[in-house]
């Protein structure tokens, strides 16, 4: 299924409280984003399942939460001060700034001499079909000459302490990885781990990107979920160097993880870095690409960083960063396999993949087919009639009870059809509706049947389930991951 246009998703995210532009009332900062009430739940769910699957459920992983501000030498040792740069060019006319390596991938503005100077927007890389010219000037204004490329460091500089002097300079971390490397020995000593083992971390990273854009795909403040997996380079597995085998294993693990939480196989592919693309620390890097609306782009990277980082930090700090191999009676500097994912990019991909429009009884239905574990709200409790006190009271009781285990929301601000559509649009997998039959009619002396309607988002099927069995039903659906069909086989359909 093809992804929606980015502006459709941006509009849904704003309208329904997933993502807002940062500082919007001041005109906004195009490169930073704020997560609203639903966005923060979705983001937390992504981080929670990633941590559970890769840290808690494995016996070869531990976690870490290092500080964002680190010793300035960390960035000298890691190579970021000298190498974490992008080549940039400026337009001498309109002052727009571009990444030199991306300029040929942009549509360009052209004033065509062959058509009395008419203005055209021409597709990236194509010549003008009237005069045959290719782009040489600024792609934005079409008039200015471009400067020669200059290297621009992407790290945000700041000062530690009250004096703004060179000695106090430090940086906001551009990746979480270095916090792991500098704590390698602390973790080793405190946990008595043996190779191979990994350290995971989730946290903010900052890059002064020259051309941020495509919504939350590239921003200046973002979050990473990173693993540094330490392997003994002298070990062999399956008749191959252990680091190479672990690299392949992590590539497969990461691909399977994104598939498990909903990304369609057609929308994800691997990209093997060529020699010229490899970072200075990498022996081999494979990216997982996602088919974003602007084209195939990096969702995450899985690199074999060799022993580069530990050796560099050892050299710069004077501390030995090794593991003692009891069998071979030698100190080894482990090789590192690094699966590194962006939380915001993962969230964007999950939203794009989940977005679907369809026609139901002549009306457009928008739904987010989010995996139930990722969905911000798990259950919505809705009254069929908000004027009936017993119905509303039963709804509130149910919401209070269910939300202890699964985030549950109550809504009575529209008629039931509209309430269902609103929940579909934000990906709520289940709605529970309380109606007159549930509570009965005391005026007529009619007892209630104590049953509610559960509606499933994707199929829109409705089942009649006793209130007393709701917790057990949701435990099967939301905790045990049982398919809806299993529940549908056990309960009668509700009359709609
Ligand atoms: N420690 C390795 C590292 O940081 P990277 O490829 O530069 O590698 C890893 O970044 C991931 O972080 C990317 O695959 C992407 O998901 C995310 N990421 C990087 N820069 C980003 C940005 N400016 N905005 C949002 N996410 C970004």
């Amino acid at each position: 299924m093809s992804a929606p246009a980015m502006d459709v998703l941006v509009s849904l995210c704003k309208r329904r409280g997933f993502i807002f532009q940062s500082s919007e009332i001041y005109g906004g900062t195009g490169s930073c984003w704020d997560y609203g009430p639903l966005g923060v739940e979705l983001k937390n769910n992504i981080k929670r399942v990633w941590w559970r699957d890769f840290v808690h459920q494995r016996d070869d992983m531990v976690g870490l939460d290092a500080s964002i501000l680190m010793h300035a030498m960390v960035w000298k040792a890691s190579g970021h001060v000298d190498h974490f740069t992008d080549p940039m060019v400026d337009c001498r006319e309109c002052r727009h700034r571009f990444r030199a390596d991306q300029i040929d991938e942009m549509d360009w503005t052209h004033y065509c001499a062959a058509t009395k100077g008419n203005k055209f927007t021409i597709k990236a890389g194509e010549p003008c079909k009237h005069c045959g010219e290719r782009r040489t000037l600024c792609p934005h204004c079409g008039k200015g000459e471009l400067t020669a490329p200059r290297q621009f460091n992407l790290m945000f500089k700041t000062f530690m302490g009250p004096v703004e002097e060179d000695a106090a300079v430090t940086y906001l971390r551009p990746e979480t990885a270095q916090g792991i490397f500098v704590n390698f020995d602390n973790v080793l000593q405190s946990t008595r781990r043996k190779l191979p083992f990994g350290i995971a971390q989730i946290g903010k990273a900052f890059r002064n990107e020259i051309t941020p854009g495509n919504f939350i795909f590239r921003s200046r403040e973002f979050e990473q979920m990173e693993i540094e997996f330490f392997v003994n380079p002298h070990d062999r597995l399956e008749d191959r160097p252990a680091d190479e085998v672990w690299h392949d294993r992590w590539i497969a693990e990461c691909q399977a993880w994104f598939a498990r939480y909903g990304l369609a196989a057609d929308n994800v592919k691997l990209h093997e870095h060529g020699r010229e693309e490899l970072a200075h620390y990498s022996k081999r890097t494979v990216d997982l690409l996602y088919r974003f609306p602007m084209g195939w782009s990096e969702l995450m990277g899985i690199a074999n960083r060799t022993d580069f980082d530990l050796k560099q930090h050892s050299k710069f700090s004077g501390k030995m960063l090794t593991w003692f191999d009891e069998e071979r009676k030698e100190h080894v500097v482990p090789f590192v396999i690094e699966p590194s994912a962006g939380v915001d990019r993962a969230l964007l991909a999950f939203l794009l993949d989940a977005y679907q429009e369809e026609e139901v009884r002549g009306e457009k239905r928008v739904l987010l087919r989010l995996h139930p574990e990722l969905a911000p709200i798990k259950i919505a409790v809705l009254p069929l009639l908000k004027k009936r006190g017993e119905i509303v009271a039963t709804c509130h009781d149910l919401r209070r009870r269910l939300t202890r285990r699964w985030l549950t929301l109550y809504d009575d601000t529209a008629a039931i059809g509209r309430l269902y559509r609103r929940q579909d649009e934000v990906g709520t997998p289940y709605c529970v509706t309380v109606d007159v039959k549930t509570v009965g009619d005391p005026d007529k002396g009619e007892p209630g049947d104590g049953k509610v309607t559960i509606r499933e988002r994707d199929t829109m099927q409705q089942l009649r389930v006793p209130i007393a069995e709701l917790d057990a039903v949701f435990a099967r659906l939301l905790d045990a991951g049982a398919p809806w069909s299993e529940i549908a086989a056990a309960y009668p359909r509700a009359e709609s």
Side-chain angles (χ1 to χ4, degrees):
M1 199 172 306
S2 62
M6 195 72 99
D7 55 351
V8 172
L9 195 77
V10 174
S11 146
L12 171 82
C13 283
K14 169 146 197 219
R15 191 160 31 85
R16 300 309 313 273
F18 280 93
I19 301 168
F20 309 122
Q21 200 179 30
S22 161
S23 318
E24 194 181 341
I25 59 167
Y26 288 101
T29 53
S31 52
C32 298
W33 299 90
D34 297 343
Y35 287 81
L38 294 183
V40 67
E41 297 295 340
L42 175 57
K43 201 178 188 204
N44 284 343
N45 290 343
I46 292 171
K47 294 190 282 186
R48 187 179 49 77
V49 294
W50 185 90
W51 195 263
R52 182 193 61 197
D53 297 346
F54 289 129
V55 183
H56 290 176
Q57 295 203 334
R58 296 179 63 116
D59 52 18
D60 55 1
M61 292 282 297
V62 292
L64 182 79
D65 184 12
S67 66
I68 288 172
L69 295 173
M70 301 172 75
H71 198 290
M73 284 304 276
V74 169
W75 308 110
K76 191 75 192 148
S78 66
H80 283 83
V81 171
D82 296 323
H83 301 295
F84 197 54
T85 55
D86 274 341
M88 128 210 128
V89 292
D90 291 305
C91 171
R92 293 188 200 279
E93 192 78 24
C94 71
R95 305 275 164 219
H96 251 75
R97 182 163 278 190
F98 307 93
R99 263 176 63 174
D101 55 340
Q102 287 178 350
I103 208 157
D104 288 332
E105 292 157 24
M106 302 170 71
D107 294 350
W108 55 289
T109 302
H110 177 51
Y111 291 90
C112 175
T115 61
K116 296 188 186 151
N118 280 345
K119 182 181 174 188
F120 297 100
T121 301
I122 300 176
K123 285 234 161 301
E126 290 182 9
C128 170
K129 63 178 181 232
H130 304 287
C131 66
E133 251 184 51
R134 290 193 172 270
R135 188 201 60 76
T136 52
L137 301 173
C138 169
H140 179 71
C141 70
K143 292 179 179 161
E145 300 269 346
L146 297 173
T147 59
R150 281 182 293 149
Q151 290 302 326
F152 172 79
N153 196 296
L154 301 185
M155 283 197 294
F156 279 98
K157 238 185 210 173
T158 186
F159 298 92
M160 193 86 92
V163 188
E164 295 196 3
E165 59 185 15
D166 283 356
V169 165
T170 189
Y171 304 91
L172 300 189
R173 68 180 176 201
E175 60 172 14
T176 60
Q178 299 303 324
I180 298 180
F181 296 127
V182 300
N183 276 295
F184 170 74
D185 199 50
N186 284 335
V187 174
L188 198 59
Q189 297 308 327
S190 56
T191 63
R192 302 270 144 213
R193 289 274 155 173
K194 285 196 166 82
L195 295 184
F197 78 96
I199 305 177
Q201 173 164 222
I202 298 178
K204 290 260 183 178
F206 304 83
R207 296 182 188 178
N208 199 2
E209 300 280 2
I210 300 169
T211 49
N214 287 314
F215 194 27
I216 54 172
F217 177 83
R218 180 170 284 110
S219 48
R220 294 196 168 111
E221 175 177 340
F222 55 97
E223 261 184 292
Q224 290 186 315
M225 310 186 275
E226 294 202 296
I227 293 167
E228 307 301 329
F229 196 80
F230 300 95
V231 181
N232 189 339
H234 306 312
D235 282 352
R236 290 187 73 79
L237 281 174
E238 300 160 15
D239 236 5
R240 292 167 60 205
D243 60 302
E244 294 179 12
V245 173
W246 275 108
H247 196 184
D248 285 339
R249 286 181 185 172
W250 275 109
I251 294 165
E253 291 269 352
C254 293
Q255 220 176 348
W257 190 82
F258 278 105
R260 175 171 167 198
Y261 292 103
L263 297 195
D266 286 0
N267 288 336
V268 180
K269 70 177 182 187
L270 298 180
H271 166 70
E272 183 88 37
H273 280 217
R275 271 188 171 284
E276 66 302 336
E277 247 182 303
L278 280 182
H280 58 281
Y281 51 72
S282 174
K283 169 174 166 183
R284 179 186 173 218
T285 296
V286 173
D287 288 342
L288 244 65
L289 305 186
Y290 181 74
R291 198 201 299 261
F292 287 99
M294 64 282 187
W296 288 102
S297 311
E298 180 184 331
L299 174 62
M300 73 171 296
I302 305 128
N304 183 341
R305 292 181 80 123
T306 67
D307 53 8
F308 175 84
D309 301 273
L310 290 179
K311 275 192 171 156
Q312 284 293 104
H313 287 303
S314 199
K315 188 168 127 195
F316 279 72
S317 68
K319 298 275 181 323
M320 212 160 86
L321 298 176
T322 55
W323 175 76
F324 189 68
D325 183 343
E326 292 286 354
E327 261 174 46
R328 298 184 180 96
K329 302 285 177 227
E330 62 181 10
H331 284 277
V332 286
V333 184
F335 267 34
V336 175
I337 306 302
E338 180 194 62
S340 170
V343 179
D344 313 76
R345 263 184 217 182
L347 185 144
L348 181 59
F350 285 129
L351 279 177
L352 288 163
D353 229 279
Y355 185 94
Q356 192 175 318
E357 285 180 12
E358 58 185 31
E359 203 178 292
V360 178
R361 289 189 282 276
E363 271 186 41
K364 182 166 114 175
R365 177 168 95 117
V366 172
L367 77 156
L368 289 181
R369 285 177 178 268
L370 287 171
H371 189 288
E373 293 223 55
L374 301 188
I377 301 161
K378 311 295 180 205
I379 305 163
V381 179
L382 313 170
L384 195 71
L385 293 173
K386 71 170 176 181
K387 290 199 176 116
R388 287 285 301 270
E390 311 84 4
I391 291 182
V392 172
T394 306
C395 283
H396 285 304
D397 279 350
L398 282 178
R399 193 204 71 82
R400 267 193 297 274
R401 189 172 108 194
L402 294 171
T403 209
R404 284 191 212 123
R405 293 173 73 180
W406 310 284
L407 184 59
T408 304
L409 170 127
Y410 169 81
D411 190 7
D412 66 4
T413 55
I416 192 70
R418 163 106 23 134
L419 293 179
Y420 283 151
R421 293 288 183 273
R422 281 191 197 156
Q423 295 306 321
D424 291 342
E425 203 185 32
V426 300
T428 307
Y430 306 107
C431 291
V432 169
T433 307
V434 179
D435 55 26
V436 179
K437 275 206 267 170
T438 315
V439 296
D441 191 340
D443 293 344
K444 293 185 189 157
E446 287 169 9
D449 66 2
K451 294 179 180 171
V452 289
T453 297
I454 301 184
R455 173 186 181 270
E456 198 263 344
R457 178 194 66 202
D458 299 349
T459 58
M460 293 187 288
Q461 274 179 5
Q462 301 187 9
L463 304 178
R464 201 72 187 161
V465 176
I467 287 178
E469 291 170 33
L470 270 188
D471 289 69
V473 166
F474 285 124
R476 279 163 73 191
L477 288 168
L478 292 167
D479 296 346
W484 172 252
S485 55
E486 201 180 294
I487 306 299
Y491 291 96
R493 295 283 172 92
E495 296 154 24
S496 47

